[in-house]
Amino acid sequence: MSHRVSLTQYLIEQQRGAAQLPAQLRLLIEVVARACKSIAISVNKGALGDVLGTAGSENVQGEVQKKLDIIANEVLIEANEWGGHLAGMASEEMDDMHAVPNRYPQGEYLLLFDPLDGSSNIDVNVSIGTIFSVLKHKGGDVTNDSFLQPGTAQVCAGYCVYGPQTTLVLTVGQGVVMFTLDREQGSWVMTDSDVRIPEDTKEFAINMSNLRHWAPPMKRYIDECLEGKDGVRGKDFNMRWVASMVADVHRILTRGGIFMYPWDKREPNKPGKLRLMYEANPMSFLVEQAGGMSTNGTQRIMELQPTQLHERVSVMLGSKNEVARVTQYHLDQGT
Ligand code: P6P
């Protein structure tokens, strides 16, 4: 059987190679990967374990927390507290940042995560995932403000999708790689060494039920896709919407496409539904590293300067030429 590259081998090669991956960052990635294996075990229990349904609480977003949201959050906190690689953590499920307890050494990095993205899919057995982003701590006391760095400051980003396969997708700024969990060995095995997003696509992902609430440029782009080969696009489009960002982005990294969650007039003061720090920024880093593009309709998402830990953003990401088109429509309309 041909030699399969493990996550450990990949990280050791990144330490030696161009990335000069620091030891603390290598440890961080290995700890997060191990935590994702533990989360996968809980997710895969389903109705056989006491993991389905709601936890009877709400998160800072005012969303009802699922039991698995809490479980995944606790797994990531407990796995990362003691290693000496982190200064602090921030999570969709926690109002404020979580500092490393004084009994443990403080490290150089800040870890942000959505511990279980796509929670509405848990009870119906549809793919969900963990999204994570890594920043360098700039020193001093760790506060929420320590995390307010633009996406371009990320040193690592990734996700783990809990689907038919359990797959870890990662970038340290040297392209995008995918590892599939070999459950017999309990190890992450590289299954794609150079993920590339095709520049063009015939597949878009958006929640069409919100169509009447969109701004004109968004409606124009989708109307043209729906007109198909008889319209200005001259080709027919297909549509997918999993309602799990990790699953939709994984499809786009695997075969191309464009994912959009735009501003809409239901809550005009909110720029969008998705969160900048632990959903849009890590996914944008991955998409750009794979040759794609990611904007909020008018600006590169990774250049946005955050002002709040849980701020939201409008997201359009994926195949470069499609994202460029829908972004240009927004720029033309000044929205
Ligand atoms: P809607 C999941 O709750 C999530 O944050 C993303 O993973 C997903 O893309 C989006 O919301 C789905 O939103 O409004 O279609 O349910």
Side-chain angles (χ1 to χ4, degrees):
M1 186 173 85
S2 64
H3 173 66
R4 304 306 293 266
V5 175
S6 67
L7 175 63
T8 301
Q9 181 179 344
Y10 172 75
L11 294 175
I12 287 171
E13 288 168 354
Q14 291 302 314
Q15 267 185 295
R16 291 184 195 134
Q20 289 293 298
L21 197 71
Q24 275 196 22
L25 183 53
R26 176 188 154 191
L27 173 60
L28 188 163
I29 295 168
E30 288 182 322
V31 167
V32 169
R34 200 173 307 121
C36 288
K37 277 199 286 188
S38 177
I39 294 168
I41 290 166
S42 295
V43 167
N44 291 156
K45 283 200 175 91
L48 299 178
D50 182 23
V51 298
L52 297 184
T54 60
S57 52
E58 283 189 355
N59 64 17
V60 65
Q61 333 284 345
E63 294 167 337
V64 173
Q65 291 178 306
K66 301 277 187 154
K67 287 179 185 172
L68 271 171
D69 285 324
I70 306 289
I71 292 168
N73 194 62
E74 286 169 357
V75 165
L76 284 159
I77 297 281
E78 288 162 18
N80 281 285
E81 275 189 326
W82 47 268
H85 53 283
L86 283 188
M89 292 176 249
S91 165
E92 180 191 50
E93 300 304 331
M94 301 187 298
D95 296 4
D96 294 305
M97 57 74 63
H98 177 88
V100 170
N102 292 332
R103 64 182 180 280
Y104 298 124
Q106 188 174 83
E108 301 172 36
Y109 295 99
L110 300 170
L111 178 64
L112 302 98
F113 47 84
D114 179 355
L116 207 61
D117 172 69
S119 302
S120 62
N121 286 319
I122 293 172
D123 295 353
V124 294
N125 198 15
V126 171
S127 297
I128 49 184
T130 297
I131 309 172
F132 60 93
S133 171
V134 185
L135 297 167
K136 291 254 342 201
H137 179 43
K138 295 182 182 292
D141 293 342
V142 186
T143 66
N144 285 352
D145 289 352
S146 307
F147 292 79
L148 301 184
Q149 301 178 40
T152 48
Q154 292 174 100
V155 293
C156 171
Y159 62 81
C160 186
V161 53
Y162 310 112
Q165 303 102 43
T166 298
T167 301
L168 179 71
V169 182
L170 180 69
T171 185
V172 293
Q174 301 294 316
V176 177
V177 288
M178 291 189 181
F179 299 87
T180 300
L181 181 61
D182 175 343
R183 293 181 175 282
E184 291 165 11
Q185 305 284 335
S187 57
W188 294 105
V189 178
M190 186 183 283
T191 43
D192 193 332
S193 61
D194 182 21
V195 177
R196 304 299 297 168
I197 301 177
E199 294 188 349
D200 293 299
T201 184
K202 295 180 181 178
E203 196 160 67
F204 66 87
I206 196 166
N207 184 336
M208 288 294 290
S209 70
N210 301 326
L211 185 146
R212 65 189 183 283
H213 306 303
W214 297 334
M218 194 72 253
K219 287 180 183 171
R220 173 187 173 190
Y221 175 78
I222 294 296
D223 285 347
E224 289 178 357
C225 289
L226 296 176
E227 286 164 5
K229 61 180 178 301
D230 304 329
V232 296
R233 299 306 310 274
K235 60 182 181 179
D236 291 338
F237 281 77
N238 190 23
M239 195 210 91
R240 287 285 183 275
W241 187 250
V242 184
S244 174
M245 186 184 196
V246 170
D248 282 314
V249 171
H250 191 72
R251 185 188 57 256
I252 288 167
L253 283 168
T254 305
R255 69 184 191 208
I258 180 170
F259 170 96
M260 296 157 284
Y261 211 113
W263 169 94
D264 75 47
K265 62 188 178 191
R266 288 175 294 175
E267 296 187 271
N269 297 327
K270 276 186 187 174
K273 173 180 183 181
L274 302 179
R275 292 81 171 178
L276 175 62
M277 298 306 297
Y278 38 79
E279 289 177 335
N281 268 341
M283 292 309 203
S284 297
F285 192 13
L286 288 163
V287 163
E288 289 195 4
Q289 282 287 311
M293 184 176 176
S294 178
T295 77
N296 65 354
T298 56
Q299 293 168 272
R300 183 184 176 210
I301 281 179
M302 282 179 44
E303 290 178 351
L304 298 175
Q305 177 54 51
T307 57
Q308 292 173 27
L309 193 54
H310 298 289
E311 73 180 69
R312 297 171 188 264
V313 67
S314 174
V315 178
M316 298 163 201
L317 60 78
S319 293
K320 184 161 50 174
N321 294 339
E322 286 304 314
V323 177
R325 175 185 287 265
V326 69
T327 299
Q328 191 56 53
Y329 290 178
H330 283 78
L331 291 169
D332 291 347
Q333 293 268 321
T335 54

